Amino acid sequence: MVRSPFAAALLASTIALPALAQTAPAPRDPGTAAKVRYDVSFPQVAHHRARITATWTGVPAGPLRVQMSRSSPGRYAIHEFAKNVYDVSATDGAGRPLKLTRSDPYGWSVAGHDGTVVVTYTLFADHGDGTYAQIDTTHAHLNMPATFLWAAGYDAQPIRVRFQSPDPTWKVATQLPESDTPGTYWAPNLQYFMDSPTELSNHMVREWQEGGKTYRLALHHDGSAADMDRFTEKAKRVVREQIRIFGAPAPYDFGPYTFIADYRPSVVGDGMEHRNSTIITSTQSLADAKDDQLGTLAHEFFHSWNVERIRPAELEPFDFTRANPTPSLWLAEGFTSYYGPLSIRRAGLASVDEYLDEMGPMLSGIVNNPARIAARINASPQEMSLRAPFVDAARSIDPVDPNIFVSYYPYGAIIGMALDLELRQRFAGKSLDDFMRTLWTRHGKGEKPYTPADLRAALAETTGDQGFANAFFARSIDGSALPDFSPLLAQAGLVLRPAAPTRGWIGRTAASDEAEGVTLTFPPAQNSPLFTAGLDRGDVIVALGGQAIANAAAWNAAVGALKPGTPTELRYRRFGSELTATLTPAADPTLEIVRGETVGQAPTAQQKAFRRNWLGAE
């Protein structure tokens, strides 16, 4: 997540420069005086290639270090963008060739210049998501850290970038302000530039006003204008509802907020927040997905307050050379995951049942998560947040123990739900909305990054009860305990119950067909009967309860017939040897949340009012 380029510290490699004054005027287009300029062309789009020329002027005497990033705003893991940069050459201001010295995999050193360094390189890009870049005959989808070399020492310098489109129908969608020169855009500094994804394509654009601000939806898709209009109307309602939560839009730096969306089969599904924009990708069309992309849009837009301006101190300033961890992703990402579906429900775009169908499995997954309930594992939300560099689209070869991590996305969402319901229960007129507004006032408006201690203080301020804040953090943030959700949900006339109490459960049962039997494709959860019986990923199931298992269909049928508490024999093959284990299924622990009306419990007037205040009118 990237901080304000105006009110916060600027990056100087890994060292922060002094902060700009809060009252400093907004930067202006530097024009041709910009000391950092990029020129981007696409001579071979069919082969996913761009040719980029970067120019630095006013370079001090001595070598200039130029490099690719290893991390990207909104991501927490390392990403090796330099691997797709090649055919690199350099000249000075007079066009004389300069020697490039590469001493590490991430960049080059350029010496012997005349105060100007011009570096030209080829970029290969074919992974369209919220982090990487993709170039093909339909578009150029550019996330900046994956696209642009940058120079140490130029972090605070304004930047100009010119895009030479290979197709006259392509337009540019970006949060970068446009200059007076066609096809040219600018940024006040490296931090803002790197936080500004850009899409060049023949996309559709819709624009509207809400809360005194302009919103743009730029959609590159294969659907119709009617699809675009329908989805835009839904986006408008989500934007309006989230503005209501905070009381006002976030103060966008250059006027509009831009939703950049690629909904095409060639991309990879993702969503990534940025300061004045978001970039969203989906392999499905709006029609095929029934506008389900709205969930990602709602999540990413909420980030324009929570993370982009209400920011963890550990992400300030963002360091492009390493992973950027913080212990507060349970709030930054988790609470955002809570408010995404909640804002869709409150906007009237999902029924109460549809909302519960989304939150019920999320709650069940966290309550029953083997890492959270294992006494030997520190599974606090803060600890899980700090594991982000290992899981947030991180790439590794060796397998990871599946029993040691709880995703901070659903974990934080369920903590958010718990806190919301507890606030409504204990403090008249208070809710999680009030807590978010407190954070906005204390940390968002003035862009003062927060620490975990600041979050505790904000909860105490919201409730007027330091003891409650201390107890909540000790239980569910420093620790991994959750409250009893049944009475909390009962306030809204909702029932938390086992989804299938008579069904036998043995844990993760995903398996692939083999010549003789099926192979378990996932390691068993440590709180499951499969784990207790000694099974592991890669074991080949031969028979269950005396019945031969020839394929995945037979395995699923045999598992479906199991009864809780009834032992059965399991035969399996491991490393060429056939083994036998006794498997005792448990009652399925899966939980669901349903309206009381569906189980014959008529809600009281008080419960109806609580539900309406929480989830909106039905």
Side-chain angles (χ1 to χ4, degrees):
M1 311 345 181
V2 176
R3 76 280 356 109
S4 166
F6 312 128
L10 294 168
L11 177 74
S13 295
T14 58
I15 301 173
L17 294 174
L20 293 177
Q22 295 282 343
T23 57
R28 296 178 179 273
D29 179 359
T32 57
K35 292 184 177 181
V36 184
R37 300 192 299 276
Y38 295 101
D39 196 285
V40 186
S41 61
F42 305 93
Q44 295 179 315
V45 291
H47 301 292
H48 317 291
R49 293 171 179 166
R51 191 67 176 160
I52 301 172
T53 297
T55 302
W56 292 272
T57 60
V59 182
L64 178 71
R65 162 80 176 180
V66 299
Q67 67 188 79
M68 290 296 288
S69 298
R70 302 190 68 204
S71 58
S72 185
R75 286 286 185 220
Y76 310 100
I78 288 292
H79 300 278
E80 302 294 10
F81 300 122
K83 70 181 184 297
N84 282 326
V85 170
Y86 58 97
D87 189 14
V88 185
S89 62
T91 65
D92 64 12
R96 292 182 291 265
L98 297 174
K99 182 181 179 180
L100 285 158
T101 301
R102 191 171 195 174
S103 58
D104 61 66
Y106 317 114
W108 296 260
S109 178
V110 189
H113 55 78
D114 58 358
T116 295
V117 173
V118 182
V119 177
T120 301
Y121 60 97
T122 296
L123 173 77
F124 176 84
D126 192 24
H127 191 84
D129 68 356
T131 303
Y132 291 87
Q134 182 175 64
I135 298 165
D136 58 36
T137 54
T138 70
H139 72 159
H141 171 102
L142 306 178
N143 283 294
M144 301 325 212
T147 305
F148 291 99
L149 282 168
W150 51 275
Y154 277 76
D155 311 83
Q157 291 293 330
I159 295 169
R160 292 254 294 189
V161 56
R162 180 168 71 105
F163 300 103
Q164 300 180 52
S165 173
D167 187 324
T169 68
W170 285 12
K171 303 178 288 291
V172 177
T174 183
Q175 70 176 24
L176 293 169
E178 192 169 5
S179 75
D180 293 335
T181 305
T184 303
Y185 299 79
W186 66 278
N189 51 46
L190 180 68
Q191 290 278 318
Y192 192 88
F193 182 70
M194 287 297 193
D195 191 44
S196 300
T198 298
E199 165 82 10
L200 286 79
S201 61
N202 185 18
H203 52 259
M204 297 180 181
V205 179
R206 297 292 184 271
E207 188 172 295
W208 72 95
Q209 301 287 317
E210 189 67 52
K213 299 292 184 180
T214 299
Y215 296 89
R216 294 174 182 163
L217 174 58
L219 175 57
H220 180 216
H221 70 144
D222 296 326
S224 66
D227 291 334
M228 173 71 161
D229 291 336
R230 181 187 66 250
F231 189 68
T232 301
E233 289 306 310
K234 293 180 179 181
K236 289 180 181 179
R237 292 168 67 174
V238 168
V239 166
R240 185 178 307 125
E241 175 56 35
Q242 292 192 4
I243 290 173
R244 188 197 66 77
I245 292 169
F246 285 96
Y252 312 123
D253 301 309
F254 297 105
Y257 181 94
T258 304
F259 296 95
I260 305 170
D262 267 303
Y263 298 154
R264 306 189 73 256
S266 63
V267 302
V268 178
D270 198 8
M272 186 58 61
E273 73 278 3
H274 297 278
R275 185 166 172 85
N276 304 305
S277 67
T278 184
I279 192 161
I280 308 168
T281 54
S282 173
T283 59
Q284 288 188 293
S285 69
L286 289 170
D288 289 345
K290 297 181 172 60
D291 297 344
D292 192 52
Q293 295 92 336
L294 191 68
T296 307
L297 181 146
H299 178 101
E300 303 305 336
F301 182 59
F302 196 82
H303 273 315
S304 64
W305 292 275
N306 188 29
V307 165
E308 290 302 330
R309 291 164 176 86
I310 305 173
R311 297 185 309 279
E314 298 81 11
L315 302 182
E316 181 88 8
F318 195 86
D319 187 340
F320 299 107
T321 68
R322 62 172 180 84
N324 288 255
T326 170
S328 299
L329 293 183
W330 60 270
L331 183 136
E333 295 290 356
F335 278 26
T336 301
S337 295
Y338 173 64
Y339 271 106
L342 182 59
S343 62
I344 291 174
R345 164 60 214 136
R346 288 177 176 174
L349 296 168
S351 68
V352 170
D353 285 338
E354 288 171 329
Y355 175 75
L356 298 180
D357 285 345
E358 181 164 359
M359 297 306 294
M362 196 181 296
L363 174 60
S364 180
I366 297 304
V367 169
N368 293 310
N369 187 281
R372 194 191 64 79
I373 60 181
R376 63 185 179 81
I377 295 174
N378 177 1
S380 73
Q382 293 188 129
E383 173 69 18
M384 296 300 104
S385 296
L386 288 172
R387 293 189 66 84
F390 308 139
V391 298
D392 184 35
R395 313 261 176 142
S396 60
I397 296 174
D398 59 318
V400 178
D401 191 326
N403 296 297
I404 62 173
F405 179 67
V406 189
S407 172
Y408 42 83
Y409 285 89
Y411 201 176
I414 294 310
I415 290 171
M417 175 190 281
L419 181 56
D420 198 359
L421 294 174
E422 286 185 280
L423 290 173
R424 293 171 185 272
Q425 179 188 58
R426 297 186 53 168
F427 304 96
K430 296 293 184 181
S431 71
L432 196 66
D433 296 359
D434 295 286
F435 177 59
M436 296 309 298
R437 285 191 285 266
T438 299
L439 289 177
W440 179 242
T441 299
R442 289 173 61 117
H443 297 282
K445 289 182 178 179
E447 307 222 17
K448 177 186 176 184
Y450 65 79
T451 65
D454 291 324
L455 298 179
R456 187 191 304 254
L459 183 57
E461 179 181 321
T462 302
T463 61
D465 189 334
Q466 185 69 59
F468 172 80
N470 291 342
F472 167 76
F473 270 79
R475 179 196 73 200
S476 296
I477 306 304
D478 303 328
S480 57
L482 295 173
D484 183 354
F485 278 92
S486 291
L488 293 176
L489 291 164
Q491 299 175 99
L494 305 178
V495 176
L496 178 66
R497 65 178 187 176
T502 62
R503 182 170 60 198
W505 176 80
I506 60 174
R508 303 183 185 114
T509 59
S512 60
D513 288 336
E514 295 292 333
E516 297 179 4
V518 297
T519 298
L520 293 178
T521 54
F522 289 103
Q526 64 190 26
N527 60 335
S528 69
L530 271 178
F531 186 95
T532 301
L535 276 289
D536 205 352
R537 179 177 63 88
D539 288 341
V540 180
I541 308 300
V542 176
L544 180 63
Q547 178 181 341
I549 302 298
N551 51 46
W555 167 243
N556 292 333
V559 169
L562 296 174
K563 299 299 180 184
T566 303
T568 187
E569 182 184 81
L570 175 68
R571 287 194 295 117
Y572 64 99
R573 201 165 53 246
R574 178 185 293 170
F575 304 141
S577 298
E578 188 167 301
L579 305 170
T580 301
T582 298
L583 184 66
T584 304
D588 193 330
T590 302
L591 301 172
E592 65 179 0
I593 308 171
V594 298
R595 288 181 297 116
E597 298 94 309
T598 65
V599 293
Q601 298 179 11
T604 66
Q606 185 177 7
Q607 287 173 321
K608 288 180 179 179
F610 187 101
R611 187 189 299 177
R612 183 171 56 253
N613 290 334
W614 172 33
L615 301 180
E618 295 188 50

